[in-house]
Amino acid sequence: MERIKFRRQEANARERNRMHGLNDALDNLRKVVPCYSKTQKLSKIETLRLAKNYIWALSEILRIGKRPDLLTFVQNLCKGLSQPTTNLVAGCLQLNARSFLMGQAGEGAHHTRSPYSTFYPPYHSPELGTPPGHGTLDNSKSMKPYNYCSAYESFYESTSPECASPQFEGPLSPPPINYNGIFSLKQEESLDYGKNYNYGMHYCAVPPRGPLGQSSMFRLPTESHFPYDLHLRSQSLTMQDELNAVFHN
DNA sequence: TAGGCCATCTGGTCCT
DNA sequence: AGGACCAGATGGCCTA
């Protein structure tokens, strides 16, 4: 009996170590998928789903050879994910949107492209350069070996986890897109996850804060005396026009 | 309070 | 025989 008990304890210890190893591997995976956060960890199942979607989305970019629009990319990332995880992904993008705007404003730059175009991997990263043909790849000339770090940096405006992990430390934020009070991403039905999650996502409008007014998708801190109201408003409207085509079709 | 997530224990199965 | 792997059971913690 003593021997059986001892062997059971040994087996339990090995099983614990094995599960710890599995969890360590999952933690490493969390660091290389979008929206890594030490404070708001993705669950195991959501980590795997997001990783699968992320791999698939990046593979599609490589296969097609041109960047998708942001909504398509986000939709692909969020397929089958729970609403909280989708909110987290959206929250990450919101932070990037804000930093993007601040950066643009700081430079006083004018640009014609949509503000959210900076989120796309990897074709306009400084390392890879912008390919000719407005985002389409000329494989014979400019296609470089896919650089994971560059793609990650381009998309998240930070270094990749292999270099230094981007972090989204804040609490769950509302999604970046508040459109007429409701933001809805239509998700495809999935046999894998269909039983577990409600795919429809309905985000409540966030009371307007800061200088951007009711229709703005970008929320800035109220204490921010942001001097580029008109410029941002036009950017915001440009994006709204693009969103209009999607959500009001 | 219900449901989701997690860690741990446990017994079964497979492999070396 | 012993270790790795797996899945079910259980209880704790947290949140809506």
Side-chain angles (χ1 to χ4, degrees):
Chain A
M1 288 299 291
E2 283 298 314
R3 175 175 171 78
I4 292 175
K5 188 176 178 182
F6 174 77
R7 289 205 58 212
R8 188 63 257 174
Q9 288 174 343
E10 291 282 296
N12 289 346
R14 283 194 302 272
E15 177 67 8
R16 272 197 305 272
N17 286 335
R18 194 183 69 86
M19 296 308 296
H20 289 165
L22 189 61
N23 289 336
D24 288 344
L26 262 169
D27 279 337
N28 288 334
L29 184 60
R30 285 189 183 98
K31 292 174 185 175
V32 299
V33 297
C35 300
Y36 172 63
S37 168
K38 283 180 181 173
T39 58
Q40 190 72 41
K41 272 173 58 171
L42 291 177
S43 69
K44 294 178 178 180
I45 185 67
E46 294 291 272
T47 300
L48 293 174
R49 286 170 178 159
L50 182 57
K52 185 208 74 174
N53 291 347
Y54 191 39
I55 291 169
W56 185 86
L58 294 180
S59 299
E60 281 298 290
I61 290 173
L62 287 177
R63 186 179 67 82
I64 297 173
K66 80 178 207 183
R67 68 188 196 199
D69 63 89
L70 176 67
L71 282 171
T72 301
F73 193 78
V74 172
Q75 283 176 331
N76 287 335
L77 278 185
C78 295
K79 268 178 189 170
L81 299 184
S82 66
Q83 183 169 337
T85 305
T86 302
N87 287 346
L88 184 62
V89 173
C92 288
L93 295 179
Q94 180 185 28
L95 286 185
N96 285 321
R98 186 181 302 151
S99 61
F100 165 78
L101 289 174
M102 298 298 277
Q104 289 294 314
E107 297 169 4
H110 295 279
H111 54 83
T112 55
R113 66 183 184 180
S114 169
Y116 59 94
S117 59
T118 52
F119 299 137
Y120 295 121
Y123 300 130
H124 48 68
S125 73
E127 294 87 348
L128 295 180
T130 303
H134 198 62
T136 56
L137 273 181
D138 180 352
N139 291 332
S140 63
K141 298 176 183 176
S142 61
M143 186 64 172
K144 295 181 180 180
Y146 184 71
N147 184 319
Y148 179 83
C149 287
S150 297
Y152 204 100
E153 289 165 10
S154 173
F155 188 64
Y156 294 104
E157 298 179 357
S158 177
T159 54
S160 86
E162 296 301 320
C163 310
S165 297
Q167 293 180 8
F168 173 57
E169 297 289 355
L172 280 181
S173 301
I177 303 168
N178 296 291
Y179 201 75
N180 292 344
I182 296 176
F183 175 70
S184 177
L185 267 180
K186 183 179 178 183
Q187 305 260 1
E188 293 180 4
E189 283 294 333
S190 165
L191 291 176
D192 289 343
Y193 329 122
K195 302 170 191 169
N196 299 330
Y197 295 111
N198 178 8
Y199 287 97
M201 293 174 290
H202 301 284
Y203 298 137
C204 298
V206 175
R209 300 174 5 175
L212 297 182
Q214 293 277 352
S215 62
S216 173
M217 61 167 287
F218 301 114
R219 293 184 296 108
L220 295 171
T222 50
E223 63 275 14
S224 170
H225 303 290
F226 202 69
Y228 301 97
D229 189 1
L230 290 177
H231 185 54
L232 290 176
R233 193 184 296 273
S234 67
Q235 290 178 349
S236 175
L237 291 175
T238 300
M239 180 165 189
Q240 285 186 8
D241 289 341
E242 298 186 35
L243 292 176
N244 254 331
V246 175
F247 292 117
H248 293 260
N249 187 354

